[in-house]
Structure formats: C-alpha cells, structure tokens
C-alpha cells in the first residue's frame, strides 16, 4: 500500500493557462475526493467520485473546473483559464465506501497562478 | 449548515507540557469526528476518529480525543508534547447522509518551545 499520490506536487502557471492535476488513490478504494485549501483555512470539499461516477460537486466548483475518473482508478482535475484566485493547495483523498468511512489524503498539489 | 469551529488559531506550549486543542461542531445529527495533522507543505495525516461507542478515543503519536455530546465538542489532547508535534491540526466532521464529505475547521497551529 503506497498511499494516495498526487502529481505534480507544485505548479506555477500564468493567468489564463489551463492546468491539470492527477490523483492516484489507494488501490482498493472506490471513492475519491478533491478538496481545495487556501492559506490559513481548512480544506473545502470540491467533488467526489464513487468508482467512475461523479456523485457530487460543490458550488465552489465553477464551470472552469472539471474532474474525471474514467476507469474508476486515477482521477484528474482540470482548471481552464486559470485566475489568481485559483492559487491554492489541491488535495485528493480516497476511501472505501461504507457507513464508517475514513478518508486518507495525498500530499497535495500546490498551484500558484501569476 | 454544518460547521466546525476551532477557536484557537495559534497555541504555543513548552516541550513536555500537556496539550488540549478545542473543536466544536454544529450539525444536524451526531456526526463522525476526525482529527488530522498537517506539516508545512504536506497533505493531511489522520490522527484519530470517532464513529460511536466509547467517547474517549486513542490515536497515533500518543494523541487522544474525547467526544462530549452535550457540548458538541471533540477536543484533542496529549499529555506530553514533543518538538516534532509542531504542525497544524484540523478537526473535521462528516455524515453518511451528507455524502461523507468532510467539513473542516480552520485549523490550529501548534508551536512547541524548548
């Protein structure tokens, strides 16, 4: 069990560019979550998948954001036309669905939009 | 709306002293409760969790937490703090009825002085 991994760990981009982040969950976990954390705040929920189905999206997730989990394994989070306000840490977590669910987090991708 | 309050933004304790970090929640029903720790630039590591049963739960690294339903609290404690405990601590809640997504507090930064 190698834990949740995320790539890249850091990304610097210019305003208006598109970026894509990848998350690889713990292999037997069927749920995958994305959170965003800004400086001085706790993480905020963005969206989650059960297998390949995207079951919920936060109102924080504007139409510039899209997430996929095409084969129910890894997931990608894409931000189009980045804005300076998108600068944050993007965290991925995975879990096994069930009534006593525990989420395990990856190391995060830190995005800086210049 | 569900919310989590961590009243202390920063706490400084001496190495070897005891520690208590406060967490209060507002939720429609008794939620599942978690404490995570985050070192600078890193993801979140699960310290402990409460689903039901014994209200005093033990976690990793010598941490424990007590659930008090009457006070809607889930405070984190450690009898003797080590310099390596310096980090940011997040309390979080979830509930199956709300899709098991985590709602986090704003965090408490722990500083340990030698």
């Amino acid at each position: 069990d190698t834990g949740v991994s995320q790539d890249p760990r850091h990304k610097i981009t210019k305003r208006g560019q598109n970026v894509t982040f990848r998350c690889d969950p713990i292999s037997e976990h069927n749920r995958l979550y994305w959170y965003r954390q800004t400086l001085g705040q706790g993480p905020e929920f963005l969206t989650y998948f059960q297998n390949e189905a995207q079951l919920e999206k936060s109102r924080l997730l504007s139409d510039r954001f899209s997430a996929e989990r095409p084969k129910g394994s890894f997931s990608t989070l894409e931000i189009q036309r980045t804005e300076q306000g998108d600068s944050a840490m993007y965290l991925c977590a995975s879990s096994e669905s069930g009534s006593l669910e525990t989420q395990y987090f990856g190391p995060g991708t830190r995005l800086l939009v210049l | 709306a569900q919310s989590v309050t961590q009243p202390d933004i920063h706490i400084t304790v001496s190495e070897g002293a005891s520690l208590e970090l406060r967490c209060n929640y507002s939720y429609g029903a008794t939620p599942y409760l978690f404490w995570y720790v985050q070192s600078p630039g890193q993801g979140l590591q699960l310290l402990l969790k409460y689903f039901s049963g014994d209200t005093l739960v033990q976690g990793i690294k010598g941490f424990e937490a007590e659930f008090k339903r009457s006070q809607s609290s889930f405070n984190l404690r450690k009898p003797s703090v080590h310099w390596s405990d310096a980090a940011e601590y997040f309390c979080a809640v979830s509930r199956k009825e709300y899709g098991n997504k985590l709602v986090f507090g704003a965090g408490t930064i722990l500083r340990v002085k030698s």
Side-chain angles (χ1 to χ4, degrees):
Chain A
D1 179 2
T2 56
V4 179
S5 61
Q6 293 187 244
D7 185 71
R9 294 291 307 276
H10 303 274
K11 178 72 176 178
I12 300 174
T13 191
K14 293 182 179 178
R15 189 176 53 186
Q17 298 295 304
N18 299 343
V19 294
T20 301
F21 309 141
R22 177 179 170 126
C23 172
D24 287 88
I26 294 170
S27 57
E28 63 269 26
H29 286 180
N30 61 346
R31 283 193 174 177
L32 187 150
Y33 296 77
W34 286 99
Y35 293 84
R36 181 171 67 188
Q37 184 181 22
T38 53
L39 208 60
Q41 300 297 318
E44 294 177 291
F45 168 78
L46 292 178
T47 187
Y48 89 98
F49 294 83
Q50 179 157 315
N51 300 313
E52 65 275 9
Q54 189 173 17
L55 296 187
E56 187 175 349
K57 293 194 293 186
S58 164
R59 55 184 169 81
L60 292 176
L61 211 65
S62 78
D63 55 9
R64 296 185 297 105
F65 287 69
S66 62
E68 294 183 339
R69 195 182 182 198
K71 297 183 180 179
S73 56
F74 73 91
S75 175
T76 58
L77 177 68
E78 181 183 16
I79 310 174
Q80 295 183 326
R81 305 180 304 280
T82 52
E83 302 173 356
Q84 289 184 324
D86 297 330
S87 296
M89 172 81 91
Y90 290 85
L91 293 162
C92 174
S94 71
S95 66
E96 283 187 81
S97 62
S99 59
L100 303 180
E101 184 177 322
T102 301
Q103 294 177 33
Y104 296 91
F105 283 81
T109 295
R110 182 166 294 283
L111 172 67
L112 178 61
V113 181
L114 301 176
Chain B
Q2 308 92 40
S3 67
V4 177
T5 301
Q6 294 180 247
D8 304 304
I9 298 173
H10 298 98
I11 282 186
T12 300
V13 298
S14 298
E15 191 169 14
S18 64
L19 170 71
E20 182 169 28
L21 302 182
R22 295 182 291 163
C23 172
N24 293 93
Y25 64 87
S26 173
Y27 223 73
T30 299
Y32 305 144
L33 298 152
F34 305 84
W35 276 98
Y36 288 87
V37 61
Q38 186 177 37
S39 297
Q42 302 298 313
L44 281 74
Q45 181 182 22
L46 178 69
L47 284 176
L48 47 76
K49 58 190 176 184
Y50 173 80
F51 293 121
S52 65
D54 191 346
T55 56
L56 186 63
V57 294
Q58 302 297 319
I60 63 171
K61 304 184 180 187
F63 285 93
E64 66 178 26
E66 185 172 13
F67 168 58
K68 293 186 177 180
R69 185 189 307 272
S70 61
Q71 298 176 19
S72 298
S73 69
F74 188 57
N75 294 348
L76 181 72
R77 300 194 294 247
K78 186 169 185 178
S80 177
V81 168
H82 188 263
W83 64 267
S84 61
D85 294 324
E88 189 161 17
Y89 292 79
F90 292 95
C91 180
V93 303
S94 74
R95 189 74 190 178
K96 182 181 179 183
E97 291 81 355
Y98 297 111
N100 278 325
K101 58 182 177 287
L102 290 166
V103 176
F104 286 86
T108 297
I109 296 172
L110 173 65
R111 299 188 179 118
V112 180
K113 58 181 181 180
S114 56

